[in-house]
Amino acid sequence: MGRVEIIGLKMCVVEELCNIAEEILNAARLQGVDVVDGDVVVVTDKLVSKCLGRVVKVDDVKPSRKALRLASKTGLDARFVELVLRNCDDVLAVVPIKRLADEGLVNLKPLAGDVEAMRRLLDEYPVFFITLREGMLWSDSGVDSSNLPPGCYAIPVENHDEVAKMIRDSIREATGRRVAVVICDTELFLGGSLDFARGSWGIDPVDRCFGCRDLYGNPKYGGVDIVVHEICSATSLLFKQAAEGVPVAIVRGLRYRECECGLRDALPRIRIGRVIREVFVESLRVLGVKQLLKLIYSL
């Protein structure tokens, strides 16, 4: 039987520019952990932003006319909206989370450790944007104020794969060990949140087993696990979301294919607009107009 071990690394709060690889290796040494060949080093996007100086003070942000217009319609701080706009390729949708909660369409109370704090957050952020960035979907472009001083926001780096490669190369140079690096970020997902990979290097991000034989010798429809997403979900059990202070984890014992590639290199290109159109056309052809209208009405 295989065995996979996840080792969380506690770190001091990072408040200024730093060398990420050095910080990771120092934390590992202090906790008696050696980096070995085959390890996957998983780093939170927040730590990356802090170490690379991607933290901004909202008072230093001058909102554009578009940001002011969107802020007036959403109830958000125009300076926050400006940061969202600056750090995305496109805004795809606006989710009125406070109204959904107020009207009972989404019940957030069972998820809240402090209901009053939840209400204050909804008052401050009554909506969130779904944006496109680096070919991936993000909420609010990844702009985030958690675990930061008041009035500060962390901004994701522009190329997560490039940063993952830099960290991987630095660790290899310092230790001689052959490792992979994954950068992960927390995103909203249905009734809660999940951690997803935003960049990687040294590991094939995808398990390319579409059509592989199952236990009965039949070709499997699927089998294309996005391995780096699964790694992030596993390590998030240690990262958590509040004051745990564990921004790095080492995954040991995982068998994976090494790859001199990043997440964006390995994932298939999907023309989402064309895909939606083809799904609609096929649904119309197979189900008919009446059933399709019934589905739209129910939604």
Side-chain angles (χ1 to χ4, degrees):
M1 294 290 291
R3 175 179 174 177
V4 176
E5 182 181 10
I6 304 175
I7 307 166
L9 299 181
K10 289 187 73 70
M11 296 178 65
C12 297
V13 176
V14 173
E15 299 287 7
E16 55 189 22
L17 289 169
C18 63
N19 184 306
I20 307 177
E22 284 185 6
E23 293 292 327
I24 293 170
L25 294 175
N26 287 338
R29 278 192 291 268
L30 287 173
Q31 293 163 65
V33 178
D34 291 323
V35 176
V36 302
D37 287 336
D39 280 351
V40 181
V41 180
V42 187
V43 188
T44 59
D45 197 30
K46 179 64 60 64
L47 180 64
V48 169
S49 294
K50 285 184 171 184
C51 286
L52 295 184
R54 302 277 293 180
V55 175
V56 300
K57 294 181 179 179
V58 72
D59 288 340
D60 296 334
V61 177
K62 183 178 180 180
S64 62
R65 279 190 290 181
K66 183 177 181 180
L68 290 167
R69 177 169 55 83
L70 293 178
S72 69
K73 293 182 177 182
T74 60
L76 294 169
D77 186 323
R79 299 167 298 178
F80 170 73
V81 176
E82 177 63 25
L83 290 174
V84 172
L85 295 177
R86 286 182 191 177
N87 291 281
C88 73
D89 300 317
D90 199 6
V91 177
L92 303 180
V94 181
V95 179
I97 186 63
K98 183 178 187 298
R99 180 155 56 84
L100 294 176
D102 289 344
E103 294 180 4
L105 299 175
V106 176
N107 186 7
L108 297 176
K109 289 182 180 178
L111 307 177
D114 183 333
V115 174
E116 287 305 315
M118 177 198 75
R119 287 175 178 154
R120 289 195 296 272
L121 277 173
L122 291 177
D123 287 338
E124 186 176 0
Y125 299 100
V127 309
F128 63 85
F129 297 98
I130 297 177
T131 60
L132 187 66
R133 193 178 191 277
E134 291 184 275
M136 293 177 280
L137 296 177
W138 296 68
S139 58
D140 291 334
S141 307
V143 177
D144 181 19
S145 63
S146 64
N147 287 309
L148 288 169
C152 292
Y153 287 94
I155 310 296
V157 295
E158 295 180 1
N159 189 325
H160 284 81
D161 287 339
E162 186 178 276
V163 173
K165 182 178 185 300
M166 179 267 291
I167 298 171
R168 193 286 306 264
D169 291 347
S170 297
I171 291 175
R172 177 178 289 184
E173 183 178 341
T175 66
R177 300 300 186 183
R178 194 184 70 254
V179 302
V181 170
V182 178
I183 300 173
C184 71
D185 178 49
T186 304
E187 265 300 344
L188 302 172
F189 185 79
L190 300 179
S193 62
L194 284 175
D195 273 37
F196 293 89
R198 292 305 190 184
S200 64
W201 203 269
I203 180 175
D204 192 338
V206 180
D207 189 4
R208 303 169 194 280
C209 288
F210 193 97
C212 291
R213 301 287 176 176
D214 64 15
L215 292 173
Y216 293 90
N218 302 312
K220 180 174 175 56
Y221 202 101
V224 189
D225 292 351
I226 304 181
V227 178
V228 289
H229 287 339
E230 294 172 335
I231 289 171
C232 288
S233 289
T235 54
S236 69
L237 295 170
L238 298 181
F239 291 154
K240 297 296 184 181
Q241 301 298 324
E244 288 77 13
V246 181
V248 178
I250 294 173
V251 178
R252 182 164 295 167
L254 178 69
R255 292 195 297 176
Y256 61 88
R257 282 190 295 271
E258 295 184 29
C259 177
E260 286 299 306
C261 63
L263 176 60
R264 293 181 70 184
D265 299 325
L267 292 179
R269 299 290 183 264
I270 299 176
R271 297 168 60 186
I272 188 66
R274 182 67 182 275
V275 168
I276 292 173
R277 177 181 178 277
E278 293 299 322
V279 169
F280 181 82
V281 170
E282 186 67 4
S283 299
L284 183 63
R285 183 185 73 81
V286 174
L287 301 177
V289 175
K290 186 176 180 180
Q291 183 64 27
L292 206 57
L293 289 175
K294 183 180 178 182
L295 173 63
I296 292 172
Y297 178 76
S298 68
L299 294 174

